[in-house]
Amino acid sequence: MRDYDCIVIGGGHAGIEAASAAAREGFSTLMITQSLDAIGRLSCNPAIGGLAKGNLVREIDAMGGVMGHLIDQSMIQFRILNRRRGPAVQAPRAQADKFTYSRNAKELLEHTPRLSLFMDTVTDLIVEDGAVCGVVTQRGWKISSRTVALTTGTFMNGRIFIGEWDAPCGRLGEEAAFGLGDSLRRLGFDVGRLKTGTPARVRRSSLDFDELEIQPGDEEMLPFSFDYDCVDRPQLDCYVTWTNEETHRIIRENISRSPLYGGKIVGKGPRYCPSIEDKVVRFPDRERHQIFVEPEGVSTEEMYLNGLSSSLPEEVQHEFIRTLPGLRHCEIMRPAYAVEYDYLNPLDLYPSLESKRLRHLFIAGQTNGTSGYEEAAAQGLVAGINAALSMRGEEALILKRSEAYTGVLIDDLVTKGTKEPYRMFTSRAEYRLSLRHDNADIRLTRLAYEKGSAGKEKLERLEEKMRMMSDLKESLRAYRERGKNGLQLLKEPETSIEDLAVRIPRLSAFSVPVQREVALDIKYEGYLARQEAEAESLVKKEAMKIPQDFDYDSLKGLSSESREKLKQVRPVTIAQAQRISGLRVSDIALLMMGVRHWRGKGDQHK
Amino acid sequence: MNEYNVDQPIYALATAWAPSALAVVRTSGTGSVELLSRIFSSPGRLMNAASKTLVHGYLRAEDGSNIDEVVLAVYRQGSGYTGEEAVEISCHGSLTTLKRVFVRLEEAGFRLANKGEFTFRAFMHGRMDLTQAEAVEEIISSRSVKSQEQALDRLSGRLSARLNEIRNRLVGILASLEVQLDYAEDEILEEWVYPVSEVDSIISSLQLLSSTYAAGKIWRDGAKVVLAGAANAGKSSLFNFLVREDRSIVSPIEGTTRDYIETDIDLKGIPVRLFDTAGLRESGDLIEAEGIRRTQALIDEADLIILLADSADPVIPSSLADDKRLILVHSKSDLAPAEGHGISVSSVTGEGIEDLVDEIARRLGALSGEKDQSLVIDSERQHDYLEACISCLEASREASGQSVDIIALFFQAALENLGYITGEVTNEELLDRLFSDFCLGK
């Protein structure tokens, strides 16, 4: 008898979803975290969502995860991004009250049945016969479990850098986790180093607001969760300012003091989120860079300087930050810093997020080389669900690229690996027009219900919404004008659903979100058809499974390079093999034949 | 190159690519019968045909005219070579006919099979044992297929440089679109503006390349080579000699009138439709005048005109004097030695025929007007992908009023087509470009 069904190591965004999913699925679960006070911290920017990321949050919610609820209850500003750039690629983003978010996260876990919380640091895994079966902690506890979810974020061998100064921390002031990274290295895991950074926080009452542009939220606040129709919370403004020649001069003169340029940091940082010194060096012609000043919460004076992450020495930071309009007299409360940490090569994972090296070990979040709360949470949810499914002996939840950003995220990680902190982008998704944030429930809720993660109420809400959508389409079909029905009218670029709502009184019976969603479905129908046909052809190859004991050395005609790639990734399906970069069409054909033959042999033995 | 799979309808010529009396084109894949019925004269009979039966009829062009009289052998799922639903088309073996059949099959939704794909499918459907399958493995992994995949290897350095330059410019445009979709409007402040002149310039670069595809028209229709000259200049002898040069025995087909005869021959791998015409001499005779009018029409459409002149009397009609399509041939060089320019040929001794064939092949290869042979597109597929890329870009121009998420689709499709020639554009490459072109990140 094991102490728990599932142990989750870490209380960040991946850990929260993994632990609550496993518990929701009916399994006794223990979350072990270094600090109970640090559960669900927003270590970097005080915001959830954004392009592609907002879609991830809504997918998490559609599958029964908790991130949507947490942000809905802590948002202090809400916006729909990219309204003008196409309805299919809009996404919600909310500024969060960091402290409320974190407190709510802990409360939510405390109220989750079958979930226990324990403060300690895991230093080793207990392994038997190639499977994990428990953990060892710093204070000497040995706790057994059937499955383990590893979600340690930046804490494994974390080290932070501010100029010449560095310290073993996962976040400023919080000790890094030692022991586990070395244990994993000893167990043969492929451990690498990555780097990320965070900007300084300044004091609200020290800002010159007359020099800052105001950036308000949308008037209309919408929930991330599909469980209710509205959120109503007071909103705070964000602010915009700009760097200038003087800022850049100071940065350039001190560039050699940056650990990034001095060579102290070996881990690769994210190109999509460069430090200010990177921006200044790489784009010398830019006269100014935009900086957003964002509140970290309602009851705090700390303001986050979005766009100004840096690892320059503190006195240099003080000097250059005070060259920005609005910040000339600012009090710096926390310095910017870079953090370097261990990550595990995600190519060592199955698409279920179970480790290929240790059975029953699931790994999620920043540990897999990703960056961002949303990316972490999405993986945590899938890891938690799949730990549960594996304990029930059921088939793992593997989302297709055509089905969810979560599917794109995990498939990219386990098929291509990553060399820099991986962030989700819409351009990573081949079928982004279908992966809208508003239809995440239609895409995922039924599946999640069948897998035990989404509850009955969620499914019923979805069914009600789909009924409304089909009724609305019926009403549109019945309406006629200029020899066209409502559906045909809506296809015209110049006709919006709002226009039709004025002309067709019956439409007022439908909620605005339902109206908009139906309108998008119809307007994009033609463009979606081709994507769907493509996705359809992939489905067949997704169904062609490759046995995990398949011997790649038995395949004739492969180049040695292709053979090595296949042996490293050990794809689960032909479709996954096809996505490994550098593999040829002919390699895939040979693989298909090899697998067919392998299966044929297996049949003969039976 | 397309993926190998086990369901898409595919086609391939089962007999040799050479003029012959009959040829067999195989198709296979789900829906093959239905797809064929759309381009067949008796769709009902075909749809209802039992497995392993023959259906006679005509393949129809888009406009309803007949392409060829054919016999279709129908195999329902589980009964044919591949084990899939399949149809074998027996048609006439002229290269022109075959080419038209291929084009029509593509239009109907079939794609050209990869090397060994029929056998690959047969194995995948369990209709073949391991020994046979190993032979397919060899075909699939053979050198030629690999080099086909790495299409750039087949292009000359300058051509691939030019294509890559276009590809990079397109990646740049797509990156400028993607950045709008991957970063919010408060981070990327500039509104995306359709780059009219850049797209126009890319389209004209592509068109220029595409137009170098000399063989494009030739592969579809056969190059029209017209033998012209005075009545006794020796056209018929040369005609027969060139037909023999092809070595595959084809009896000349009578033309629609008795004014000329035509035949399909293969000259150095180029399908040629050779015409022997009536004399070019002015005539008061009405019937002969009609013949001359038809000859003139042929000459107008010709890709090359071989003007035969008696060596002793090289008279070039003034209308042809400056024609770039003209090859002047001194015939009967065995009777009188040639003087001046032109190629001397004797249809009796065969002297000079080699030179003439070389000249014809060279001229057909250079039809594009592109003087630099290293910048000529020589594969039909490459040409097709270029044309597809152009039409995606043209479509993007028409869609330029749409939102950027839609416009991006057109540029993605354009790059996908170009990528078949130059190598695929991956998401990673796009992101690389995005990060290097734009200063991003809050």
Side-chain angles (χ1 to χ4, degrees):
Chain A
M1 189 64 193
R2 303 277 167 87
D3 298 325
Y4 289 91
D5 292 319
C6 182
I7 291 176
V8 176
I9 309 171
H13 303 281
I16 290 169
E17 295 293 349
S20 53
R24 204 164 50 235
E25 295 266 4
F27 292 96
S28 69
T29 304
L30 172 69
M31 173 190 278
I32 305 180
T33 169
Q34 289 205 132
S35 168
L36 281 173
D37 306 317
I39 284 175
R41 280 227 168 127
L42 302 171
S43 320
C44 197
N45 61 322
I48 296 282
L51 300 167
K53 288 164 168 275
N55 304 49
L56 281 172
V57 180
R58 302 213 74 191
E59 289 178 4
I60 292 165
D61 182 80
M63 292 189 279
V66 300
M67 186 173 244
H69 288 177
L70 291 176
I71 182 61
D72 285 344
Q73 289 155 21
S74 60
M75 64 169 79
I76 51 177
Q77 190 195 81
F78 179 86
R79 287 171 63 203
I80 290 281
L81 304 178
N82 280 358
R83 282 188 191 278
R84 288 195 305 272
R85 288 173 181 166
V89 289
Q90 295 174 357
R93 182 177 66 199
Q95 298 298 133
D97 183 313
K98 280 190 167 178
F99 303 93
T100 307
Y101 189 98
S102 176
R103 196 184 61 242
N104 287 352
K106 181 166 174 250
E107 278 175 22
L108 185 140
L109 295 180
E110 286 168 345
H111 290 119
T112 302
R114 294 178 291 277
L115 177 58
S116 303
L117 302 167
F118 186 60
M119 184 156 149
D120 202 343
T121 300
V122 171
T123 54
D124 205 352
L125 301 176
I126 306 173
V127 176
E128 262 172 36
D129 297 333
V132 67
C133 53
V135 302
V136 181
T137 73
Q138 203 170 45
R139 297 201 306 275
W141 289 93
K142 287 192 172 63
I143 311 170
S144 66
S145 66
R146 297 164 68 192
T147 55
V148 170
L150 184 71
T151 61
T152 50
T154 62
F155 275 72
M156 267 200 308
N157 289 329
R159 179 163 288 273
I160 67 175
F161 297 84
I162 308 174
E164 294 87 359
W165 183 86
D166 64 78
C169 299
R171 267 187 296 261
L172 185 61
E174 294 176 48
E175 206 191 335
F178 294 104
L180 190 54
D182 298 333
S183 303
L184 291 168
R185 280 188 174 86
R186 206 173 50 243
L187 286 166
F189 281 81
D190 183 5
V191 187
R193 298 287 277 174
L194 287 175
K195 173 255 157 186
T196 185
T198 192
R201 315 303 201 262
V202 295
R203 186 164 182 167
R204 173 182 274 272
S205 55
S206 68
L207 303 184
D208 304 318
F209 282 95
D210 52 347
E211 291 185 339
L212 298 170
E213 293 166 37
I214 295 179
Q215 196 189 33
D218 289 355
E219 272 176 35
E220 181 188 38
M221 253 181 162
L222 297 167
F224 280 81
S225 176
F226 290 99
D227 294 345
Y228 32 82
D229 293 324
C230 52
V231 265
D232 190 14
R233 293 178 52 84
Q235 296 207 60
L236 290 184
D237 289 332
C238 293
Y239 302 89
V240 174
T241 184
W242 300 84
T243 62
N244 51 51
E245 282 303 329
E246 179 65 2
T247 325
H248 300 175
R249 183 190 62 76
I250 295 166
I251 290 169
R252 266 194 293 270
E253 281 174 5
N254 289 282
I255 197 75
S256 61
R257 299 182 67 193
S258 158
L260 286 174
Y261 286 85
K264 271 173 87 178
I265 294 181
V266 294
K268 200 162 180 327
R271 288 169 302 170
Y272 48 82
C273 190
S275 62
I276 186 66
E277 46 267 36
D278 262 348
K279 293 187 211 175
V280 169
V281 170
R282 287 186 47 222
F283 294 92
D285 297 338
R286 284 278 287 245
E287 286 166 13
R288 56 180 203 165
H289 297 278
Q290 195 179 18
I291 304 300
F292 298 84
V293 184
E294 303 171 351
E296 296 224 302
V298 175
S299 53
T300 176
E301 284 229 20
E302 284 187 79
M303 302 285 278
Y304 178 92
L305 299 181
N306 207 339
L308 215 52
S309 90
S310 172
S311 59
L312 286 166
E314 279 192 70
E315 65 270 25
V316 180
Q317 292 186 26
H318 283 237
E319 206 185 334
F320 79 70
I321 289 173
R322 289 189 184 135
T323 62
L324 272 69
L327 305 180
R328 287 186 232 274
H329 308 97
C330 77
E331 178 183 323
I332 293 168
M333 297 175 74
R334 298 186 203 225
Y337 60 87
V339 56
E340 197 186 36
Y341 54 96
D342 281 354
Y343 82 109
L344 305 176
N345 186 348
L347 289 178
D348 283 348
L349 298 174
Y350 292 115
S352 61
L353 294 180
E354 185 172 1
S355 169
K356 290 171 187 166
R357 294 183 185 273
L358 273 187
R359 277 181 292 126
H360 306 160
L361 175 68
F362 293 81
I363 308 177
Q366 219 157 352
T367 314
N368 285 336
T370 60
S371 122
Y373 316 132
E374 304 82 358
E375 287 85 345
Q379 293 170 68
L381 176 64
V382 171
I385 293 174
N386 281 334
L389 291 172
S390 80
M391 287 187 275
R392 284 208 294 267
E394 290 175 22
E395 203 177 325
L397 170 70
I398 296 170
L399 298 170
K400 294 193 266 296
R401 297 182 75 88
S402 53
E403 197 165 47
Y405 274 100
T406 308
V408 175
L409 167 69
I410 294 174
D411 183 63
D412 275 350
L413 289 174
V414 305
T415 308
K416 294 173 185 154
T418 187
K419 297 251 160 27
E420 70 178 324
Y422 178 105
R423 173 181 152 176
M424 185 44 72
F425 285 102
T426 72
S427 48
R428 297 196 196 270
E430 294 80 0
Y431 311 108
R432 70 176 159 210
L433 291 188
S434 357
L435 304 185
R436 301 192 322 246
H437 74 84
D438 59 331
N439 64 16
D441 53 346
I442 296 179
R443 292 185 273 122
L444 299 168
T445 295
R446 178 165 295 279
L447 183 60
Y449 173 76
E450 285 160 7
K451 298 284 184 185
S453 173
K456 186 105 187 115
E457 279 170 38
K458 236 184 182 23
L459 185 66
E460 282 166 2
R461 262 187 82 83
L462 169 69
E463 283 166 349
E464 172 61 16
K465 170 173 150 182
M466 292 178 74
R467 224 177 355 260
M468 295 299 274
M469 287 177 68
S470 104
D471 287 353
L472 174 52
K473 281 183 191 164
E474 222 24 75
S475 303
L476 285 169
R477 195 171 291 126
Y479 176 78
R480 294 200 78 81
E481 184 186 304
R482 293 182 277 126
K484 289 180 169 177
N485 70 29
L487 295 174
Q488 291 161 329
L489 290 170
L490 206 45
K491 275 217 156 76
E492 301 169 348
E494 63 278 8
T495 308
S496 71
I497 187 82
E498 287 79 11
D499 299 336
L500 287 181
V502 176
R503 276 131 67 183
I504 315 172
R506 281 171 68 188
L507 294 199
S508 61
F510 300 94
S511 72
V512 172
V514 163
Q515 289 187 20
R516 285 182 191 157
E517 198 165 339
V518 165
L520 283 185
D521 282 352
I522 294 167
K523 283 200 180 294
Y524 281 77
E525 215 167 34
Y527 300 107
L528 292 175
R530 194 185 150 217
Q531 294 205 338
E532 274 162 17
E534 265 178 47
E536 192 57 38
S537 79
L538 259 182
V539 166
K540 290 193 178 114
K541 286 190 172 169
E542 298 283 3
M544 298 174 78
K545 302 257 189 285
I546 306 174
Q548 277 309 297
D549 56 350
F550 182 75
D551 178 12
Y552 289 96
D553 289 320
S554 73
L555 269 189
K556 288 178 197 157
L558 280 187
S559 72
S560 55
E561 201 190 334
S562 303
R563 193 185 308 278
E564 282 317 304
K565 281 185 176 157
L566 283 165
K567 282 164 92 168
Q568 188 183 22
V569 178
R570 301 203 77 82
V572 176
T573 62
I574 293 292
Q576 192 192 350
Q578 208 168 302
R579 291 191 288 266
I580 299 174
S581 54
L583 248 61
R584 301 191 179 108
V585 169
S586 60
D587 294 332
I588 301 300
L590 292 174
L591 179 60
M592 285 166 78
M593 294 178 69
V595 170
R596 175 77 174 75
H597 179 55
W598 189 263
R599 268 201 243 111
K601 271 200 306 199
D603 292 345
Q604 281 160 21
H605 291 313
K606 275 177 197 162
Chain B
M1 187 170 178
N2 279 294
E3 297 160 10
Y4 287 76
N5 58 31
V6 287
D7 38 37
Q8 275 179 8
I10 52 172
Y11 76 92
L13 180 63
T15 46
W17 175 246
S20 55
L22 288 175
V24 175
V25 180
R26 286 199 289 194
T27 69
S28 180
T30 314
S32 296
V33 172
E34 210 256 307
L35 290 182
L36 266 171
S37 71
R38 295 185 201 163
I39 55 171
F40 189 63
S41 56
S42 315
R45 273 199 295 130
L46 178 56
M47 287 300 283
N48 295 324
S51 195
K52 298 185 180 172
T53 58
L54 302 178
V55 184
H56 170 264
Y58 295 86
L59 279 191
R60 291 265 160 89
E62 180 108 58
D63 61 8
S65 65
N66 290 338
I67 293 171
D68 195 21
E69 184 178 1
V70 296
V71 175
L72 304 181
V74 178
Y75 298 93
R76 297 291 173 180
Q77 193 173 352
S79 63
Y81 174 70
T82 57
E84 296 171 346
E85 179 182 329
V87 179
E88 284 175 13
I89 307 166
S90 301
C91 58
H92 290 100
S94 98
L95 300 184
T96 315
T97 304
L98 282 174
K99 220 42 215 176
R100 291 186 68 196
V101 170
F102 295 164
V103 169
R104 193 65 186 131
L105 286 173
E106 299 253 359
E107 285 167 359
F110 290 90
R111 71 162 167 82
L112 183 58
N114 294 311
K115 276 210 170 144
E117 192 165 6
F118 280 86
T119 315
F120 166 79
R121 290 186 176 196
F123 174 81
M124 292 303 287
H125 293 300
R127 298 186 71 83
M128 182 163 291
D129 64 22
L130 181 64
T131 348
Q132 288 166 299
E134 274 175 351
V136 189
E137 284 180 3
E138 270 166 38
I139 297 171
I140 290 177
S141 60
S142 72
R143 190 74 224 134
S144 63
V145 181
K146 277 183 187 157
S147 61
Q148 199 177 2
E149 271 183 66
Q150 290 158 339
L152 271 182
D153 289 355
R154 299 178 59 237
L155 303 176
S156 76
R158 291 195 51 208
L159 182 55
S160 83
R162 170 117 13 135
L163 282 167
N164 270 326
E165 183 228 303
I166 296 174
R167 179 181 186 273
N168 282 338
R169 289 165 70 188
L170 278 173
V171 169
I173 296 179
L174 187 55
S176 75
L177 277 159
E178 293 294 339
V179 79
Q180 298 262 326
L181 301 173
D182 276 331
Y183 285 84
E185 57 266 82
D186 59 0
E187 294 172 88
I188 298 292
L189 301 171
E190 301 79 15
E191 284 291 307
W192 191 79
V193 180
Y194 188 92
V196 180
S197 61
E198 174 71 352
V199 173
D200 284 351
S201 140
I202 291 174
I203 289 178
S204 43
S205 299
L206 286 168
Q207 277 167 341
L208 196 69
L209 277 178
S210 178
S211 70
T212 67
Y213 176 53
K217 188 165 150 289
I218 293 169
W219 285 118
R220 275 190 296 280
D221 308 330
K224 279 190 181 164
V225 175
V226 175
L227 299 181
N232 290 317
K235 297 190 298 291
S236 296
S237 308
L238 183 60
F239 182 89
N240 290 330
F241 220 98
L242 283 171
V243 168
R244 276 202 298 281
E245 189 68 15
D246 180 26
R247 292 182 206 287
S248 50
I249 314 296
V250 173
S251 55
I253 313 156
E254 287 272 317
T256 46
T257 75
R258 285 175 293 120
D259 306 316
Y260 62 88
I261 54 172
E262 61 175 293
T263 189
D264 289 327
I265 62 170
D266 180 295
L267 285 182
K268 299 202 165 237
I270 303 174
V272 168
R273 175 148 279 208
L274 189 63
F275 296 87
D276 184 9
T277 64
L280 267 180
R281 197 169 299 164
E282 295 282 341
S283 170
D285 185 318
L286 267 178
I287 297 167
E288 201 179 337
E290 177 60 15
I292 288 166
R293 198 191 60 75
R294 286 174 200 270
T295 299
Q296 193 56 51
L298 269 180
I299 285 177
D300 289 346
E301 289 173 14
D303 295 304
L304 277 184
I305 304 149
I306 300 177
L307 182 67
L308 277 86
D310 233 309
S311 306
D313 180 24
V315 179
I316 302 172
S318 56
S319 62
L320 291 177
D322 294 323
D323 201 309
K324 290 204 172 76
R325 300 171 297 164
L326 186 71
I327 298 180
L328 182 62
V329 170
H330 303 285
S331 61
K332 301 179 184 174
S333 64
D334 47 318
L335 297 182
E339 291 160 22
H341 61 284
I343 299 172
S344 297
V345 167
S346 163
S347 305
V348 179
T349 64
E351 185 204 325
I353 289 282
E354 277 299 314
D355 294 342
L356 177 59
V357 169
D358 284 348
E359 180 64 10
I360 294 172
R362 191 188 69 77
R363 295 277 281 269
L364 289 178
L367 270 183
S368 59
E370 172 66 60
K371 293 206 175 51
D372 186 345
Q373 283 294 304
S374 69
L375 278 178
V376 167
I377 293 283
D378 63 355
S379 124
E380 185 187 17
R381 281 200 180 187
Q382 288 171 0
H383 174 261
D384 288 350
Y385 289 133
L386 286 182
E387 286 297 321
C389 182
I390 293 169
S391 35
C392 292
L393 292 176
E394 281 167 348
S396 83
R397 239 174 357 199
E398 280 154 35
S400 62
Q402 301 262 30
S403 54
V404 284
D405 56 345
I406 297 297
I407 298 175
L409 291 177
F410 293 97
F411 286 96
Q412 281 167 351
L415 265 170
E416 193 182 317
N417 281 299
L418 197 59
Y420 289 127
I421 311 176
T422 61
E424 188 194 355
V425 177
T426 60
N427 296 346
E428 284 79 15
E429 180 181 348
L430 201 59
L431 285 173
D432 284 347
R433 182 63 174 268
L434 203 140
F435 298 137
S436 69
D437 284 5
F438 298 91
C439 183
L440 302 161
K442 319 217 293 190

